[in-house]
Amino acid sequence: ALIFTVGTMVSEVSKVLMVLVIILLAFSTALACVGTDQAVFADFGAALKSLSQLMLNLDPPVFDLSSQAAAIFLVAFVLVSVIGVLNILIAQLNETYDRLSDLTRGYATLHRAQIAVELESYLSVRYRKTVWDSLHLDEPLEFEGGYKGPSGGIQALEPVSVILHPKYIPDRSIWCKGDASPQLPWPETDNKTVDGVLAGESDNQEA
């Protein structure tokens, strides 16, 4: 769950960082093309280095704002990158973490299933067939003693906590054993019993 959360947050951050890099390259190109006499904007490399230092606050150089065009580009860069995009990045991290903290277990389970399916594709068909045969998915499931249900699943017993729950209804369906044959008709059901079961389900659903 932790790895999935960190991976999702890194994916979200990479999108913002990509936009930030594009903005940095655009303003570096603009300041290099202005043609000021400042050494910090002498060429594209110098402008890129100066703006990077300004954005990261790593010993930024002293800028001479005598050139009106350079001053406009520099102020616009500070407003867009330092104040705008970085604050958006912080807000997005908070929003992503809050969203994932509530659904981490579900997302982690889906991610684990995706990895399992992807790893299964690397196995040979012969080995996969051996695993499938060991699951016995073609055998019918046993609902109760002597009664076989449909196939294609794995039987799991209900935990005691579910059975002891006050809203638990033991038999939601009425099962009639045997084949559906006119010579062996199913026994007639008691409508009062059926109505009582349905009424109990309705009361539990309303509760």
Side-chain angles (χ1 to χ4, degrees), residues 15-37:
K15 299 176 183 178
V16 180
L17 292 180
M18 186 178 298
V19 175
L20 195 59
V21 168
I22 294 175
I23 294 174
L24 181 62
L25 294 177
F27 278 94
S28 299
T29 304
L31 288 172
C33 294
V34 169
T36 61
D37 297 334

Side-chain angles (χ1 to χ4, degrees), residues 65-76:
L65 301 180
S66 58
S67 174
Q68 184 176 2
I72 292 175
F73 281 121
L74 193 60
V75 172

Side-chain angles (χ1 to χ4, degrees), residues 38-105:
Q38 302 183 51
V40 292
F41 301 138
D43 53 12
F44 175 77
L48 180 62
K49 179 181 177 181
S50 300
L51 293 182
S52 299
Q53 291 176 340
L54 176 62
M55 183 178 60
L56 300 176
N57 197 20
L58 297 175
D59 191 18
V62 179
F63 299 102
D64 184 8
L65 301 180
S66 58
S67 174
Q68 184 176 2
I72 292 175
F73 281 121
L74 193 60
V75 172
F77 173 77
V78 173
L79 292 176
V80 172
S81 63
V82 179
I83 298 178
V85 178
L86 291 182
N87 287 331
I88 292 175
L89 175 61
I90 295 173
Q92 186 176 10
L93 285 176
N94 292 332
E95 191 273 336
T96 302
Y97 182 79
D98 292 339
R99 175 170 53 87
L100 292 177
S101 61
D102 298 332
L103 304 175
T104 299
R105 186 178 299 275

Side-chain angles (χ1 to χ4, degrees), residues 167-175 197-198 201 204-205:
K167 293 186 178 181
Y168 176 76
I169 299 177
D171 295 324
R172 295 182 179 271
S173 302
I174 298 177
W175 300 97
V197 173
L198 295 179
E201 291 184 5
N204 289 332
Q205 289 176 359

